[in-house]
Amino acid sequence: MGPHYLDRLFAARSIAVIGASERPGSIGQRVFANLLEAGFSGELYPVNLRHDTVQGRPAHARLAAIGRPVDVAVITTPAAGVPALVRECGEQGVRLALVMSAGFGEAGADGRALERAMVEEGRRHGVRIVGPNCLGAMRPRAGLNATFSNNRALPGRLALVSQSGALCTAILDWALSRQIGFSAVVSLGDAADVDFGDVLDYLALDPQTHGILLYLEGVTATRRFVSGLRVAARMKPVVAVKAGRQGRGTEAARSHTGALVGADDVFEAALRRAGVVRADTIEQLFSAARILSENPRIGGNRLAVVTNGGGPGVMAADRAAALGLELPPPSPATVEELDASLPPHWSRANPIDLRGDSGPRHYGAALAAVLRDRQFDAVLVILTPQAASAPHEAAAAVIEAARGSRRPVLACWMGGEQVESAWDAFDEARVLHFPSPEAAVEAFGYLAAHRRNRQLLLQVAGPLAAQAPPDVGAARAIIERALDAGRDQLSQVESKGVLRAFGIPVNESVLTRSTDEAVAAAESAGLPVAMKISSPDVLHKSDVDGVRLDVESAEAVRATWRDLVEGVRARRPGAAIDGVTVEPMHGDPHGRELLVGVVRDAVFGPVLSFGAGGIAVEVLRDRTVELPPLNSFIAAGMIERTRIARLLGEFRQMPPVDRDALEAALLRVSEMVCELPHLQEMDINPLVAGPAGVLALDARITVARPSAGGRYAELAIHPYPAHLETPLQLKDGTAVTIRPIRPEDAEMVQSFVRGLSEESSYFRFMQSLQELTPTMLVRFTQIDYDREMALIAVTGQDGAETEIGVARYVTNPDGTSCEFALVIADAWQGRGLGTRLMQRLMEVARECGLQTIEGEVLADNAGMLQLMDRLGFSSRTDPEDHSIKRVSRAL
């Protein structure tokens, strides 16, 4: 695959500043001065119609007058002329424009029209646009400061991507005062073209970047944003701060779920699934990035606290409890070891309080013992200056005890002047230290969150192998009939029909339109029964007293039917009444009432919710949300994060509920969301869970015609495309399966690469490579199916698979073309496998709306060039490297 187009910016060799000026206070003056002062080593060209020189450099009236290649054009002139300037960039071979000018989307209808014109010119002439209305970009190590900020950035390992230029300058100022450096800084502004997803793609593989910081205000290109996050977070830590936590997600909610779930819940879920850690403040953003970029690996969320003061230990314990972190007691062996080396009155618990008379020797002995205890995943060591403390010497003891430990050691030497030399010692030894116990515990919390979210990131939701496939056709037929009748609200009977089609157990409902029908239905179901009003105009039956339980006789059924209908007519005059549903009473005394719901978020699309059910759901507000698709791991975590999870196990005289059945119901709802793009909102309330399984007693579903788009277009996260799994026979009769790659294939992929001959490896990677690096292995196996595809060919016996070939494509930044790669195991070459893999890959690319497939083939790879010719590819020699052939064909 070729270099990313943003290399033109971050590895620029020449920059033209259109509107460069000497007028003090102007953007053009500040940008050009910043480029000069930062020591940019490439060519700088000021473009100004009215001056012969700008800040000591010869000026050019137009881009065309430069007469030499330009990598980046920085545009600082008024908005009205920007579309024409972008067109000129394209005509002069400039492929990236950094547009700082304001007056576009924020300036009303005229500004939005200008923005559309600018983007259209860029697309027409092959120019990618960062901005408009942006601060610019920095690459400190390259001496690149293409911003109009008064701040500078030190070189470092953290990248900063911000939607707000003002916040960007504040963060730069904050970081400089703390000597925090950056690998790259990008202000996206209005992100009319290049957005978060594009920049994250670049930073994911940027060797200078070890961690990524994001400041977000809103998301537009949702799928690309989530996809970019997931790609980046697979490679390195990503930490985000988002403004506007209190925004509402669904203003016109038609269900309990819609009333419960807000925009920030969903944003949190999206970050979680993308493997991203969220911070609340700028200081927390850097604290999280600092500890994550050190790349410590932890096995869980268990923290040991070693302190010489009870108060700071309690503060640490309180913050840990608030964050859901564990402080387990030390093991008996550790207690025995500590008894032998600590003062006699130490706490014998966690926090491990050494008492005020402890000194450096005690700190070193305590830390060494605790680091050997497998009860703990990390250790926080706290010191308050006291008579025996010797802060510098105690720090030295901690540094020595921590040397070579695989578990993170965090330090908190509280105070000021007395502990400054200890801080310096910690900095020199690269031991992370924090000003307060709470800040240190929060830092460990970020490590725990990162571990947990990375586990979520690696989950792939495949088909539910242990269950019968759903009857998707039957569910869609029910929905289509309602929509054809002009209804967007399914009746109780229809809603349960959709659930039944997906294998979710339901309490059968019979719609009755007269008292006689009600009596017949009740006798068929078996008395006593539950009776509920059925009306498309009544969202919540309990609001109109529309539910009766334990109706025990035929006479009571008749009377109840009339009461329900008359009651609704009195309370809601004009409401359409379909009739009354009759259901068997559910009599499980051990059942717990739960809610499973679906709501549409304005940004992230369908969202699943789980929590406590019943009539008080909006008061209890006990729920958690996730983006589909789910698998068992994600569903189990969803359940565990609710308060009601503690009531699902055995307690008092109640047996535990069937957790497998509950998880299966969540997975089935996830499947519904993936396969039914019509679904807008849904409540299953209550879903009763008991020891014998689950049963949906009531359901409400709102539907709409799906918007145009491909399969799964409504979802923020593309599910594992199980429908692409294809069995085939080679020409010699050998059975092979072609399927999309999965993260758990990593070991098999590594074995495949190790088994390639030197020639096959060179033809594939254009270098001699017999082992994939950890980064390459992640990149090849943990893919985002929305933007790329890797189809592997496998054979196997007794459930053990062996990879024998792979074909993959990655979508290019233009969104209409893709670049492919293909490699076949040496023993399987010449048997038609390469042809079949490429044909299938092209089919998938075509189905995803791509128009062109292209690739690079070494000129001496005769076999691959012959295959390309047979498949209808055209071929041309790369003008910059005659050893490479560029092949392509229309899809």
Side-chain angles (χ1 to χ4, degrees):
M1 308 299 177
H4 197 284
Y5 70 90
L6 284 176
D7 266 345
R8 295 179 182 273
L9 172 61
F10 292 113
R13 293 165 297 182
S14 55
I15 299 175
V17 180
I18 301 174
S21 169
E22 294 184 340
R23 180 166 55 85
S26 68
I27 292 178
Q29 183 272 331
R30 185 68 258 172
V31 172
F32 204 73
N34 281 345
L35 285 164
L36 291 170
E37 291 167 9
F40 179 66
S41 59
E43 298 293 331
L44 283 176
Y45 305 112
V47 177
N48 190 303
L49 280 169
R50 300 182 180 86
H51 295 84
D52 294 330
T53 63
V54 172
Q55 299 186 37
R57 296 291 182 101
H60 307 270
R62 305 180 65 84
L63 267 176
I66 295 174
R68 301 182 68 182
V70 173
D71 290 326
V72 179
V74 180
I75 299 176
T76 68
T77 53
V82 170
L85 289 172
V86 170
R87 180 172 65 250
E88 187 179 354
C89 284
E91 291 168 350
Q92 298 304 314
V94 182
R95 294 291 169 250
L96 197 138
L98 198 60
V99 180
M100 297 177 175
S101 318
F104 290 90
E106 81 284 3
D110 291 344
R112 289 191 292 274
L114 267 178
E115 186 173 288
R116 286 193 296 273
M118 174 190 71
V119 172
E120 286 168 7
E121 292 289 356
R123 288 177 180 161
R124 188 176 298 119
H125 294 91
V127 182
R128 298 308 303 267
I129 299 166
V130 179
N133 192 25
C134 72
L135 180 72
M138 295 182 180
R139 186 70 151 177
R141 267 197 192 88
L144 173 67
N145 182 0
T147 73
F148 58 89
S149 171
N150 291 324
N151 305 92
R152 65 186 179 91
L154 299 173
R157 303 189 302 175
L158 297 175
L160 171 64
V161 188
S162 174
Q163 281 179 313
S164 166
L167 253 294
C168 210
T169 59
I171 291 171
L172 288 170
D173 192 51
W174 189 97
L176 186 62
S177 68
R178 290 158 177 80
Q179 295 296 290
I180 296 170
F182 295 92
S183 59
V185 177
V186 187
S187 161
L188 290 172
D190 294 342
D193 179 27
V194 174
D195 59 19
F196 273 108
D198 299 300
V199 178
L200 287 166
D201 269 352
Y202 177 82
L203 295 174
L205 296 174
D206 176 28
Q208 293 189 32
T209 298
H210 290 215
I212 302 171
L213 312 181
L214 304 179
Y215 172 79
L216 299 153
E217 292 175 350
V219 176
T220 49
T222 306
R223 184 65 86 74
R224 216 159 58 190
F225 168 71
V226 174
S227 180
L229 278 181
R230 289 167 64 82
V231 168
R234 287 183 176 109
M235 304 293 182
K236 53 200 66 171
V238 181
V239 187
V241 166
K242 181 184 181 294
R245 294 188 69 117
Q246 304 305 316
R248 287 290 305 152
T250 308
E251 296 297 339
R254 300 189 61 180
S255 63
H256 289 300
T257 303
L260 286 170
V261 175
D264 198 62
D265 296 1
V266 182
F267 188 83
E268 181 80 35
L271 291 185
R272 206 166 45 234
R273 286 293 293 278
V276 177
V277 173
R278 185 174 186 179
D280 294 330
T281 66
I282 300 303
E283 189 160 0
Q284 288 177 355
L285 181 75
F286 280 99
S287 178
R290 186 172 161 224
I291 191 168
L292 290 170
S293 63
E294 294 294 331
N295 205 30
R297 297 292 183 183
I298 60 171
N301 68 343
R302 302 165 302 173
L303 180 67
V305 178
V306 177
T307 178
N308 68 345
V314 172
M315 293 164 67
D318 285 347
R319 190 65 187 132
L323 295 174
L325 305 173
E326 296 181 34
L327 266 66
S331 69
T334 301
V335 171
E336 185 177 341
E337 187 175 350
L338 293 174
D339 278 338
S341 57
L342 296 185
H345 301 298
W346 74 280
S347 63
R348 301 177 65 82
N350 187 12
I352 297 167
D353 188 351
L354 309 179
R355 305 304 182 192
D357 57 350
S358 55
R361 177 175 61 86
H362 301 113
Y363 268 94
L367 179 57
V370 170
L371 284 173
R372 285 190 287 270
D373 192 335
R374 296 186 178 276
Q375 294 277 91
F376 306 115
D377 299 302
V379 185
L380 165 59
V381 188
I382 304 172
L383 180 142
T384 58
Q386 301 184 43
S389 298
H392 184 85
E393 291 75 10
V398 165
I399 290 167
E400 182 58 33
R403 198 181 310 278
S405 171
R406 291 186 175 183
R407 294 178 187 146
V409 174
L410 315 179
C412 173
W413 262 223
M414 301 177 72
E417 185 176 339
Q418 294 185 57
V419 298
E420 283 183 354
S421 66
W423 294 342
D424 293 339
F426 285 135
D427 284 334
E428 187 175 341
R430 297 182 66 85
V431 172
L432 292 169
H433 62 95
F434 301 86
S436 69
E438 296 94 335
V441 171
E442 285 172 1
F444 175 67
Y446 294 129
L447 282 180
H450 183 244
R451 174 183 175 273
R452 182 183 64 245
N453 292 356
R454 272 193 61 80
Q455 287 179 311
L456 283 171
L457 172 64
L458 300 182
Q459 302 303 309
V460 175
L464 307 182
Q467 300 185 44
D471 190 343
V472 178
R476 286 182 176 166
I478 293 170
I479 293 170
E480 290 293 345
R481 280 197 299 271
L483 291 171
D484 289 344
R487 292 187 290 114
D488 63 358
Q489 186 82 33
L490 300 189
S491 70
Q492 181 74 194
V493 173
E494 290 170 328
S495 295
K496 288 185 176 180
V498 171
L499 298 185
R500 193 187 308 107
F502 277 81
I504 298 173
V506 298
N507 195 23
E508 297 294 344
S509 297
V510 177
L511 178 63
T512 65
R513 293 182 171 83
S514 69
T515 56
D516 287 342
E517 287 183 6
V519 170
E523 290 176 342
S524 176
L527 293 164
V529 293
M531 300 177 67
K532 304 171 185 177
I533 196 71
S534 179
S535 167
D537 300 320
V538 174
L539 297 182
H540 303 303
K541 290 181 274 294
S542 57
D543 292 346
V544 294
D545 193 24
V547 178
R548 299 286 193 279
L549 305 178
D550 288 312
V551 183
E552 295 184 332
S553 66
E555 294 76 9
V557 168
R558 293 182 188 277
T560 300
W561 196 98
R562 287 190 292 266
D563 286 347
L564 287 170
V565 171
E566 290 167 5
V568 171
R569 284 175 178 162
R571 290 180 178 87
R572 297 282 176 86
I577 298 175
D578 295 332
V580 173
T581 59
V582 177
E583 307 169 7
M585 280 298 300
H586 180 66
D588 185 354
H590 304 305
R592 282 74 143 179
E593 291 192 343
L594 307 172
L595 179 143
V596 177
V598 175
V599 70
R600 281 293 172 112
D601 181 74
V603 175
F604 292 101
V607 182
L608 276 68
S609 175
F610 170 81
I615 61 173
V617 290
E618 290 169 35
V619 177
L620 296 174
R621 302 191 71 80
D622 175 28
R623 83 278 186 245
T624 185
V625 300
E626 282 289 0
L627 300 183
L630 306 184
N631 65 7
S632 294
F633 181 88
I634 303 169
M638 219 179 154
I639 295 167
E640 286 303 321
R641 290 198 305 275
T642 60
R643 295 192 302 276
I644 202 170
R646 287 170 286 181
L647 301 179
L648 301 180
E650 186 174 359
F651 73 99
R652 294 188 178 177
Q653 303 301 314
M654 300 278 279
V657 307
D658 184 342
R659 287 290 287 265
D660 290 341
L662 179 55
E663 288 179 20
L666 286 172
L667 296 179
R668 283 305 203 186
V669 172
S670 169
E671 210 170 23
M672 286 176 63
V673 170
C674 294
E675 300 301 330
L676 300 176
H678 318 70
L679 204 59
Q680 300 297 302
E681 286 191 27
M682 182 178 75
D683 278 347
I684 306 175
N685 182 30
L687 177 74
V688 176
V694 298
L695 190 68
L697 298 191
D698 206 348
R700 177 182 298 103
I701 295 177
T702 303
V703 294
R705 301 272 181 205
S707 57
R711 186 166 183 158
Y712 307 129
E714 313 273 340
L715 305 178
I717 299 173
H718 198 295
Y720 175 76
H723 63 284
L724 297 181
E725 294 185 357
T726 309
L728 62 88
Q729 273 195 339
L730 300 182
K731 288 182 289 188
D732 60 6
T734 304
V736 172
T737 298
I738 294 177
R739 65 167 175 81
I741 204 165
R742 296 190 289 255
E744 58 264 35
D745 294 326
E747 187 175 336
M748 182 172 67
V749 170
Q750 187 71 279
S751 297
F752 173 75
V753 172
R754 287 176 185 147
L756 294 175
S757 67
E758 187 172 341
E759 182 182 61
S760 293
S761 178
Y762 186 76
F763 282 161
R764 164 61 182 91
F765 299 106
M766 298 189 182
Q767 58 177 305
S768 219
L769 182 72
Q770 292 300 319
E771 181 93 10
L772 296 177
T773 66
T775 298
M776 292 172 74
L777 199 56
V778 168
R779 187 69 190 87
F780 287 165
T781 59
Q782 298 175 26
I783 70 171
D784 190 295
Y785 303 109
D786 183 50
R787 64 174 61 199
E788 58 188 306
M789 183 56 64
L791 297 176
I792 59 174
V794 296
T795 62
Q797 290 181 335
D798 302 324
E801 290 184 327
T802 300
E803 181 182 352
I804 58 175
V806 59
R808 66 174 68 237
Y809 73 72
V810 176
T811 305
N812 290 323
D814 60 17
T816 63
S817 66
C818 63
E819 190 165 355
F820 81 90
L822 170 71
V823 62
I824 306 297
D826 289 75
W828 291 82
Q829 292 176 13
R831 299 167 70 173
L833 181 59
T835 300
R836 301 293 291 273
L837 267 172
M838 278 302 299
Q839 288 172 335
R840 188 71 182 112
L841 188 74
M842 289 189 291
E843 288 172 6
V844 173
R846 190 181 303 114
E847 289 166 4
C848 290
L850 296 173
Q851 299 170 16
T852 307
I853 186 166
E854 58 193 26
E856 294 181 344
V857 181
L858 287 171
D860 55 356
N861 190 350
M864 179 68 78
L865 290 173
Q866 289 170 9
L867 173 61
M868 294 297 101
D869 184 57
R870 288 197 302 271
L871 291 172
F873 280 73
S874 62
S875 173
R876 62 182 176 84
T877 301
D878 189 312
E880 296 181 6
D881 187 346
H882 290 186
S883 70
I884 292 175
K885 295 283 189 179
R886 296 288 305 178
V887 298
S888 66
R889 64 158 284 177
L891 292 169

